[in-house]
């Protein structure tokens, strides 16, 4: 029987944050923050688009993401065990 992962594990949290950062950059590269006219455009919208993109990436990572967090976690855990 496999024990479910502990979401409070600091290594798992770090791995999830790293996956979210990666996803945020991938979403930026895909043009997610290019909708400059959604709220009228301007400097304010450009400033806050990155926050929205980061929240999207965090939500994706918390819901399983692309599996990158698991790989990062395993690598961090292996290094901690040495």
């Amino acid at each position: 029987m496999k024990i479910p992962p502990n979401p409070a594990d600091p290594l798992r949290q770090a791995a999830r944050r790293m996956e979210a950062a990666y996803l945020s950059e991938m979403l930026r590269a895909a043009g997610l923050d290019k909708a400059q006219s959604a709220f009228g455009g301007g400097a304010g919208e450009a400033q806050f688009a990155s926050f929205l993109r980061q929240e999207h990436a965090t939500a994706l990572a918390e819901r399983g993401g692309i599996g990158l967090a698991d790989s990062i976690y395993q690598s961090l855990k292996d290094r901690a065990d040495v």
Side-chain angles (χ1 to χ4, degrees):
M1 182 164 108
K2 187 174 180 180
I3 299 171
N6 179 3
D9 181 357
L11 287 179
R12 192 163 296 282
Q13 290 175 353
R16 193 173 298 118
R17 284 192 306 270
M18 290 180 75
E19 181 176 21
Y22 174 80
L23 288 171
S24 178
E25 287 304 308
M26 292 302 102
L27 291 171
R28 183 184 61 77
L32 184 69
D33 59 354
K34 297 292 186 222
Q36 295 293 323
S37 63
F39 296 104
E45 185 174 351
Q47 296 273 324
F48 286 98
S50 65
F51 293 122
L52 179 60
R53 186 182 70 241
Q54 182 61 43
E55 286 304 312
H56 281 142
T58 300
L60 284 168
E62 287 177 357
R63 286 165 181 77
I66 58 173
L68 186 60
D70 291 332
S71 296
I72 294 170
Y73 171 76
Q74 198 59 45
S75 178
L76 291 172
K77 186 174 177 288
D78 291 345
R79 285 181 158 225
D81 289 342
V82 171

